[in-house]
């Protein structure tokens, strides 16, 4: 079975998505997600100009060989653009293979290791009352694990916090609760102001209040968004120990793997990192030295199912689990791939789940379902994705940027 053609679909039903559609000579179609938030067209061009011409005529079943051909063959390895493009190809080929086999993809990855993939939602509020409303809404919807982000006194806005109470509550089928998240559609990025000392003073009191109101059972997560130095991160982890977090995420900029040694040696709060990583090599020391507890790389940004499974098999040797990135810029195609892989992985940990907008779900037609605090991928052959290309064409690309973060004195800061 040969690849007859490959087409790149760029659509923007509320936010931008890059999807690769591969069609075989006997008419089987597979989809892969290559969306790179804020830099979407770089992946689209990489695919269209450099990868699609290589795919035509290749054996559609040769997934590993195609992965190696694109990774080693290009000479220029890794990087978010390359690895998102490879992910799109890899995922589309797995979709095809599963459709040909007549099985849901997770069956080809070893079968289900659990009933569903535990997910966490995003609760946020500018202050404690707003945050509590948002948490209650998530609990009512059935979430059993919730990421907690709040405003910081003295700062106008903080990434990860919805701008109004109504937005922070949101609702299933609406993405208004994530109004901080879709890359804002503007000619230039918005700019935010950050104060690490104010943040570090405030966060422990938030978790104390949440535990006081909602008790010990609910799994709580928090994202520091790469903003801390190692010693600040160590201090934060230590100060949050009484509140028994499921994880503390992205405490330091991810490039320096050694930074995590400082953090690890000072706190027992579990650590998650890696949403900006894109290969197993980015985890070489973090996993072998057991400096983290959860791997954040998603299928979409780390070379696809083939590649993330490789990372997770390495992680399994050290009791490190998955915690794949799942914001709304990972398309339903990428989320479907994550849920199939997560259902099969023995060392699955948790899946981030931000509900896509109604518009987005209409374009991609995913079959995965949320129930019992988790996601199941559905039982139809392949990924369980039905792209409506006519509808997708009605939403042309719009340039959008993620915000930029500055300290109070104007210095550009990590975010
Ligand atoms: Mg993060």
């Amino acid at each position: 079975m040969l690849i007859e053609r490959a087409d790149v679909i760029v659509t923007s039903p509320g936010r931008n998505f890059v999807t690769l559609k591969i069609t075989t000579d006997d008419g089987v179609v597979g989809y892969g997600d290559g969306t790179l938030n804020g830099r979407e067209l770089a992946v689209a061009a990489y695919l269209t100009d450099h990868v699609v011409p290589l795919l035509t005529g290749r054996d559609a079943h040769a997934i590993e060989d195609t992965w190696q051909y694109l990774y080693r063959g290009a000479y220029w390895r890794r990087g978010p653009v390359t690895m998102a493009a490879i992910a799109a190809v890899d995922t589309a080929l797995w979709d095809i293979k599963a459709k040909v086999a007549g099985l849901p993809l997770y069956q080809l990855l070893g079968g289900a290791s659990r009933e569903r993939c535990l997910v966490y939602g995003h609760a946020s509020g500018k202050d404690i009352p707003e945050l509590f409303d948002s948490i209650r809404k998530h609990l009512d919807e059935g979430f059993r694990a919730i990421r907690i982000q709040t405003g910081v006194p003295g700062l106008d806005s903080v990434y990860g916090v919805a701008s109004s109470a109504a937005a922070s509550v949101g609702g299933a089928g609406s993405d208004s609760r994530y109004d901080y998240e879709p890359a804002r559609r503007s000619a230039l990025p918005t700019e935010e102001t950050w104060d690490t000392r104010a943040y570090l003073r405030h966060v422990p009191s938030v978790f104390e209040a949440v535990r006081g109101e909602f008790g010990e059972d609910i799994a709580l997560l928090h994202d520091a968004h790469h903003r801390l130095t190692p010693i600040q991160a160590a201090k934060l982890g230590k100060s949050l120990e009484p509140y028994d977090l499921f994880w503390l995420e992205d405490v330091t900029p991810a490039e320096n793997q050694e930074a995590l040694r400082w953090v690890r040696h000072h706190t027992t709060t579990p650590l998650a990192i890696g949403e900006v990583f894109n290969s197993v090599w980015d985890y070489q020391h973090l996993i072998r030295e057991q400096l983290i507890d959860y791997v954040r790389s998603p299928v979409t940004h780390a070379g696809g199912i083939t590649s993330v499974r490789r990372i997770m098999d390495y992680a399994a040797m050290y009791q490190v689990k998955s915690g794949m990135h799942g914001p709304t810029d990972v398309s339903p195609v990428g989320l479907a791939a994550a849920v199939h892989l997560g259902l099969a992985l023995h060392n699955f940990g948790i899946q981030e789940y931000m509900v896509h907008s109604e518009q987005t779900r209409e374009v991609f037609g995913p079959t995965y379902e949320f129930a019992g605090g988790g996601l199941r991928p559905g039982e139809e052959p392949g990924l369980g994705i039905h792209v409506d290309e006519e509808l997708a064409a009605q939403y042309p690309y719009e340039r959008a940027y993620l915000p930029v973060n500055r300290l109070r004195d104007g210095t550009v800061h990590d975010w």
Side-chain angles (χ1 to χ4, degrees):
M1 187 176 63
L2 303 179
I3 295 172
E4 189 167 273
R5 58 179 296 158
D7 300 278
V8 178
I9 300 167
V10 178
T11 182
S12 192
R15 64 176 314 143
N16 297 313
F17 297 106
V18 176
T19 308
L20 184 69
K21 174 188 177 188
I22 293 180
T23 307
T24 68
D25 56 358
D26 45 6
V28 182
V29 169
Y31 295 102
D33 180 24
T35 306
L36 188 61
N37 196 1
R39 296 292 186 272
E40 298 88 355
L41 296 187
V43 182
Y46 189 105
L47 284 167
T48 302
D49 296 338
H50 305 294
V51 174
V52 167
L54 303 175
L55 296 178
T56 311
R58 290 186 68 82
D59 178 0
H61 278 307
I63 297 177
E64 179 69 29
D65 184 66
T66 299
W67 194 96
Q68 299 293 348
Y69 183 83
L70 295 175
Y71 180 80
R72 296 175 196 279
Y75 187 71
W76 310 107
R77 299 179 188 191
R78 304 161 66 190
V81 175
T82 298
M83 298 308 281
I86 293 176
V89 176
D90 184 79
T91 305
L93 293 180
W94 276 108
D95 189 18
I96 287 169
K97 190 183 284 289
K99 282 173 178 166
V100 170
L103 293 168
L105 176 56
Y106 73 84
Q107 294 288 13
L108 270 61
L109 302 174
S113 292
R114 58 195 52 78
E115 289 179 6
R116 59 183 62 85
C117 296
L118 174 69
V119 299
Y120 70 90
H122 285 203
S124 71
K126 280 192 292 188
D127 52 26
I128 296 290
E130 272 191 23
L131 174 65
F132 282 7
D133 286 347
S134 181
I135 293 172
R136 280 192 197 95
K137 177 72 180 174
H138 282 81
L139 292 173
D140 289 347
E141 288 176 2
F143 283 95
R144 294 172 183 174
I146 302 180
R147 190 185 86 161
I148 301 294
Q149 309 291 133
T150 63
V152 174
L155 296 180
D156 289 340
S157 65
V158 174
Y159 185 78
V161 178
S163 62
S164 71
S168 69
V169 171
S174 159
D175 62 359
S176 61
R177 79 180 91 179
Y178 314 131
D179 68 347
Y180 58 88
E181 163 57 25
R184 283 126 172 131
R185 290 173 160 175
S186 57
L188 295 170
T190 57
E191 298 202 357
E192 296 178 347
T193 304
W194 181 247
D195 182 333
T196 301
R197 289 190 67 226
Y199 164 78
L200 290 175
R201 279 196 304 271
H202 183 60
V203 174
S205 69
V206 172
F207 279 88
E208 184 180 19
V210 171
R211 281 293 182 215
E213 180 72 12
F214 296 96
E216 302 298 320
D217 281 350
I218 169 175
L220 299 178
L221 301 84
H222 180 67
D223 187 356
H225 236 261
H226 305 130
R227 295 177 184 206
L228 309 177
T229 64
I231 208 69
Q232 289 168 338
K235 183 178 177 179
L236 178 62
K238 215 168 175 176
S239 69
L240 293 177
E241 282 174 15
Y243 314 113
D244 188 27
L245 267 61
F246 186 97
W247 80 33
L248 177 59
E249 173 186 344
D250 292 342
V251 284
T252 58
E255 299 96 319
N256 179 13
Q257 299 190 30
E258 292 182 14
L260 273 297
R261 274 194 210 119
W262 280 93
V263 187
R264 192 63 149 180
H265 291 167
H266 285 86
T267 179
T268 56
T269 295
L271 300 172
I273 207 161
E275 66 191 41
V276 302
F277 292 178
N278 45 62
S279 87
V280 67
W281 298 103
D282 298 311
Y283 292 99
Q284 185 175 14
H285 302 294
L286 292 178
I287 290 175
R288 196 180 64 214
E289 296 182 35
Q290 302 180 79
L291 303 180
I292 58 171
D293 300 280
Y294 295 92
V295 162
R296 289 282 290 144
S297 287
V299 170
T300 300
H301 299 139
I305 290 164
T306 298
S307 181
V308 173
R309 192 165 66 168
R310 196 139 42 225
I311 296 172
M312 292 318 304
D313 285 345
Y314 175 43
M317 293 167 61
Y318 299 92
Q319 294 176 286
V320 174
K321 295 186 174 184
S322 70
M324 286 181 231
H325 196 215
T328 49
D329 57 272
V330 168
S331 86
V333 184
L335 183 60
V339 175
H340 280 282
L341 180 57
L343 199 70
L345 285 175
H346 175 255
N347 56 332
F348 169 83
I350 198 167
Q351 172 65 47
E352 184 177 18
Y353 179 43
M354 294 174 74
V355 183
H356 287 104
S357 70
E358 194 67 46
Q359 274 178 317
T360 297
R361 282 181 285 156
E362 281 171 11
V363 167
F364 291 98
T367 59
Y368 51 72
E369 285 184 349
F370 175 72
L375 283 169
R376 277 196 61 89
E379 292 298 315
E380 73 172 53
L383 276 175
I385 286 294
H386 304 270
V387 178
D388 183 336
E389 290 188 48
E390 280 183 23
L391 188 59
Q394 291 174 26
Y395 301 112
Y397 169 82
E398 291 184 42
R399 188 186 304 154
Y401 289 102
L402 286 158
V404 169
N405 196 32
R406 292 186 186 273
L407 301 180
R408 286 189 188 280
D409 70 355
T411 307
V412 172
H413 190 58
D414 299 299
W415 81 280

